[in-house]
Amino acid sequence: MRRAFGLPWWQIAGALVVVGLGFALEMSAAGQAVGDGVALGIAVLADPILSIVGLDLVRSGVELRSLAGGWAVRVSEVCDGMGLVVALVGAVVVLAQGQERALVWGAKRLAIGIAAIQAFNLLRVVLLAGVLDRGGAGFGVLHDWVFPLLSLCVIAAALVTNSKENAGIMPRTLAVFVAIAVVLSVLWAPLAATVSAWLVPLANAALSAVAPLGVGEIAPSQAAPNTWSVGTFFVAGTEPLRLFRAPLTPFHFTVALPAIVAASLVARRVVWLVIGVPMMLVALCVAACVAALGLAAAKAPITVVLPDASGAFYIADYTRSEPLLASLRLVQNTLVHTLLLVFPVLALAGLRRQ
């Protein structure tokens, strides 16, 4: 029981700190310049590969556009692999603690992992373009389910070792984890939207207490079935009064659940699940704030509805806080990537230490 519930606090705190620092660097001007260069490189490499397999494309910067199919793929910051690299660095730094020849071990794992991540990102762009060229069937499954799990597998594979090192993941452990995670992901996918919606009332209770100015509640969207949005107090029109809503997808913040459950089962440590689920709730709350405040930034200048002392409401100019929005984005990126890409790896690597 103690082994199952014992809290590896230093690993959890260490991973969050390192990943947070990594994303702070990635979000800086220098980090964004590196990401833009990597994205351009992936687009440049993907272009001839897709041409070889028969796709008629034109490349404009990081965008690959079909001349006949009417679709386009843009190699955005999500596809540049920098988030995966930050997660890999977080896992390596935490696992290297106490490791003999830690610098050599860490440098070797980072070199293997970064190369694998960029090869994976190139493959992802090529496959997504191929799927779009054939009508787009399966695009959502690939983008929302297959590639997140494969991203985790790429990072975990970079940490696999057969040696007597006291860090890393054993091959058999990884194989068992992947098998369980695939099964759980298949079972979870049709339930994800419904079950994830159960977090919404908890998130709304938290938002009602701590949400920044202008952020409302998460609610089903009327734009399309099974879609959600965040209410705001930002004015979209005055005759009659209309308020903006920002799109949000709750199940995007529980996508790590099958992987964390699988890692907890393999490692026989429930702690990763016990800590993970509340962190998913926090990530959803932060994402709601990012969605609403990001919309306000995009629509600036904008006005906001505020209550007065008598209980009535009035409209005032909204002054956005760039540091607040940047901080919330940093927290969101840190939580989402740590949950999906770092926690399962730390749980699996913990078996060797035990």
Side-chain angles (χ1 to χ4, degrees), residues 273-310:
L273 183 60
V274 170
I275 297 297
V277 172
M279 285 179 61
M280 292 176 197
L281 175 61
V282 175
L284 177 59
C285 292
V286 174
C289 297
V290 169
L293 299 183
L295 183 148
K299 300 291 185 180
I302 197 170
T303 55
V304 62
V305 175
L306 299 173
D308 63 18
S310 66

Side-chain angles (χ1 to χ4, degrees), residues 69-97:
W71 56 265
V73 170
R74 184 176 182 275
V75 185
S76 67
E77 61 183 13
V78 177
C79 305
D80 64 13
M82 299 306 291
L84 302 188
V85 171
V86 169
L88 174 66
V89 171
V92 167
V93 169
V94 171
L95 293 176
Q97 301 303 309

